[in-house]
Structure formats: structure tokens, C-alpha cells
Amino acid sequence: MRKESFNAFVGLTLILGLMLSCSNKPKKNGRTDTYSSGAISFVSDESFSPIIEEEIEVFHSIYTQAKVTPIYTNELDAVNMLMTEKTCLAITSRNYTPKELQNLKDRKFIPRGIPFAYDGLALIIHTSNPDTCISVQDIKNILSGKISKWNKIYPSSKLGDIEVVFDSEKSSTVHYCVDSLLDGRPINSPNIYAVKKSAEVIDFVEKHPNSIGIIGSNWLNDKRDTTNVTFKRNIQVMGVSKIHPATPESSWKPYQYYLYNGNYPLVRTLYALLNDPYNALPWGFAQFLASPKGQLIVFKAGLLPVQGNMTVREVRVNE
């Protein structure tokens, strides 16, 4: 080997060795995870736990050297943990605000919000309630306290007071109602309840015939139904109308196609909010959510994927 070639080879070897040794050094906070290996925890609004659990199961089956552990909380606390560097990934129903983005950029971070699904906000009622459709205007009037009794919407109703139940007072469902339905004004219903988990909303509605539960539609799909067009049978889901007053003909339920074509009015976007300076496992899992495999899981779970095209087929039934 010529001397010049030998010297060049040795120099390149030393550079590569130095780069590899630097990449293997523990990060300043002790993290050793990479884009597809290691162990991390992240936070998520509890109302998204069904879809997140399904995503994690498939992610672990593909990336066998990776372990991601969710911490379920409410959206407000999840974002606070992200902003105070207690986590590098949060699953929420909103993107960063301009103020939050600027705060992180001023601290030399490079935050990013990745949308990966659309979820319908579902209104559930007791199976004995005969009034199964409601307008967006009626929902606003209930939440603002202008309407507190069922007979103000349905004159023949005997149910009395309307009880509204949320999964948590700090949850993404409350945030959506305040921000998107009440234009930032606080909820002022006289009979408002907040439980601790989404499953408890369903339990509450089962026991209170006069109640309305507000919950993410990803909780309602019956896993026995691969077509995702039926919901859990111990409660019923209201049809929601953009037109006031609501009629059965103008009301829609949060099925995938009605999220897709815009008929269902209560739709929110699910985001993976990242604040990971190392582009490591939090990025790997967040990118998986938006990948073709992650999006297929979203579709099969009954939500609407952000990426990809839905194939819609018209079916004609001959009587």
C-alpha cells in the first residue's frame, strides 16, 4: 500500500472511530435510547389510551429492542410536563401554541407537532333515552348553562335535569368544548361532573338515565366488530347536527366516513408533541404513529388517519 493511501486510510479510520465513540457516549441526562432501541416513557391524555395501547403493541413487535411506556394523565398536565422537560413526547388533541413554541425555541429546543389521527368527540346517553339527536347549538346552550333541562330541547321529555359528565376537568375533551364550542368561555352547566377516566364516563351514563357523557369516539368501537360501524351496546351514541333544531335526517354519528366527509361536526386532531433534542426513541415512536403501519392501526381502531387515502364504495341494495 502506498504511504499516502495508508495515511489516508488510517486518518479515515480514526475519524470514524471517534464519531462512533461519541455517538455511544451516554447523553448528558443519562439517556441511552436511540431512534429504534432503548426505553423511554411518555405522557398522553387518558382519553386516547385505546389507540395508544394498540400502537404500542405493534411498535414493540417490530422494534424488539425498544420499550415505550405511556403515562396517562390529562392534557393540561401532559403539556406542562413537556414544557418543563419531564418528558420528551406528549399525545394531545392540540398542537403547540405560538407562545409555547417561542418559549422552547428561546431555550434552544426544536419542538415539533406531528398530527396522526382525527377523532370524533362523541355524546353518549342512556339506552332508555328516546331523544337521540342534538344540534351543536343545543350542546353550546347546555355547556353555557342556558339550557339545564331535557324538556327545553324535547318538550315531551320526562328526564328532568341534564347531567353532563366529562372524563376529567383538565382533559382534552374539556379543552375542546371550551375552545371550539364556547369560544374560550368556561363551562357553566349547573349539573356538571368530572370523573377520573373515560371508562367511568360510560359507567356514569349507564347509571344516570338523564345524563350526557362526552368522550372520545376511540373508546366506543366494539372490538368484536371489524367494520367499526357499531358502538358498545350498553350505551347509545347521539347523532349531532350542524342544523338547529336537530332532526334524525340532519344528524350524524362519529363514524369514520362522516369524519372524512365533514358531516360530523365535533372533530379533533390528535398530535404527537415532541421536544426531544436527541432525535431518539420519542421521535421513533412519534414517526411510527404517522407511518403507513401506524396509520393502518388508526384506521382499524375506528379513527380517521391523517395520512393516506380512504376508499369509499357505494353499495346499492335491491329490495
Side-chain angles (χ1 to χ4, degrees):
M1 181 182 291
R2 291 171 55 188
K3 184 176 180 180
E4 293 84 356
S5 300
F6 177 77
N7 289 338
F9 174 76
V10 172
L12 180 60
T13 302
L14 289 172
I15 292 171
L16 289 174
L18 182 61
M19 291 174 62
L20 288 173
S21 65
C22 289
S23 65
N24 290 329
K25 285 182 179 179
K27 302 175 180 71
K28 290 182 179 180
N29 60 0
R31 282 175 53 188
T32 58
D33 56 294
T34 70
Y35 190 83
S36 59
S37 68
I40 57 116
S41 61
F42 67 95
V43 292
S44 171
D45 186 279
E46 185 272 338
S47 65
F48 306 137
S49 61
I51 180 63
I52 294 302
E53 290 296 328
E54 292 186 47
E55 294 280 3
I56 289 173
E57 182 179 357
V58 178
F59 182 78
H60 285 164
S61 70
I62 297 172
Y63 301 101
T64 57
Q65 302 301 311
K67 176 67 174 177
V68 294
T69 302
I71 299 171
Y72 293 116
T73 182
N74 58 74
E75 185 171 87
L76 181 61
D77 288 345
V79 173
N80 286 339
M81 290 176 69
L82 191 69
M83 296 298 295
T84 56
E85 301 177 51
K86 294 178 181 178
T87 186
C88 295
L89 172 62
I91 308 298
T92 68
S93 68
R94 67 170 180 87
N95 205 342
Y96 285 107
T97 65
K99 184 177 180 180
E100 289 166 347
L101 280 174
Q102 191 58 53
N103 178 283
L104 292 172
K105 289 177 180 178
D106 289 345
R107 290 152 57 192
K108 309 303 180 184
F109 288 103
I110 306 176
R112 185 181 174 191
I114 301 176
F116 67 94
Y118 300 109
D119 178 35
L121 205 65
L123 275 67
I124 59 174
I125 54 175
H126 195 271
T127 51
S128 66
N129 192 334
D131 302 312
T132 58
C133 60
I134 192 168
S135 71
V136 172
Q137 185 59 53
D138 283 332
I139 299 170
K140 292 179 179 180
N141 288 339
I142 292 170
L143 295 176
S144 65
K146 294 179 181 179
I147 290 177
S148 60
K149 296 184 180 294
W150 280 102
N151 61 13
K152 295 297 182 180
I153 303 175
Y154 307 101
S156 61
S157 178
K158 308 296 184 183
L159 289 175
D161 292 337
I162 300 172
E163 296 181 336
V164 182
V165 57
F166 289 94
D167 50 350
S168 166
E169 62 184 8
K170 299 178 182 178
S171 72
S172 59
T173 54
V174 171
H175 177 265
Y176 179 94
C177 289
V178 170
D179 191 58
S180 299
L181 295 178
L182 298 180
D183 298 322
R185 296 185 298 275
I187 294 172
N188 195 34
S189 172
N191 299 302
I192 189 82
Y193 300 88
V195 289
K196 295 181 180 180
K197 297 180 180 180
S198 298
E200 293 177 7
V201 176
I202 298 173
D203 293 338
F204 187 99
V205 171
E206 284 185 303
K207 297 173 183 177
H208 297 80
N210 59 325
S211 63
I212 296 179
I214 303 180
I215 195 171
S217 65
N218 74 111
W219 270 90
L220 302 177
N221 291 312
D222 190 333
K223 299 305 180 184
R224 296 167 297 180
D225 178 20
T226 58
T227 62
N228 287 325
V229 294
T230 60
F231 297 101
K232 289 183 178 293
R233 292 168 175 80
N234 47 8
I235 50 91
Q236 58 180 334
V237 181
M238 299 192 84
V240 181
S241 174
K242 298 177 184 178
I243 302 170
H244 182 76
T247 65
E249 294 76 21
S250 68
S251 302
W252 309 90
K253 294 184 180 181
Y255 298 140
Q256 278 177 327
Y257 180 59
Y258 301 141
L259 304 181
Y260 174 73
N261 69 6
N263 281 344
Y264 193 72
L266 308 180
V267 182
R268 56 185 180 173
T269 306
L270 275 58
Y271 288 88
L273 299 186
L274 282 157
N275 185 30
D276 181 14
Y278 302 115
N279 289 347
L281 192 52
W283 278 88
F285 182 64
Q287 294 285 9
F288 174 78
L289 296 176
S291 72
K293 284 188 174 66
Q295 292 291 278
L296 182 60
I297 297 167
V298 169
F299 177 77
K300 289 183 175 181
L303 280 68
L304 185 65
V306 169
Q307 305 291 337
N309 296 317
M310 288 185 65
T311 300
V312 179
R313 295 183 177 91
E314 292 187 5
V315 178
R316 180 172 297 175
V317 179
N318 295 321
E319 297 182 354

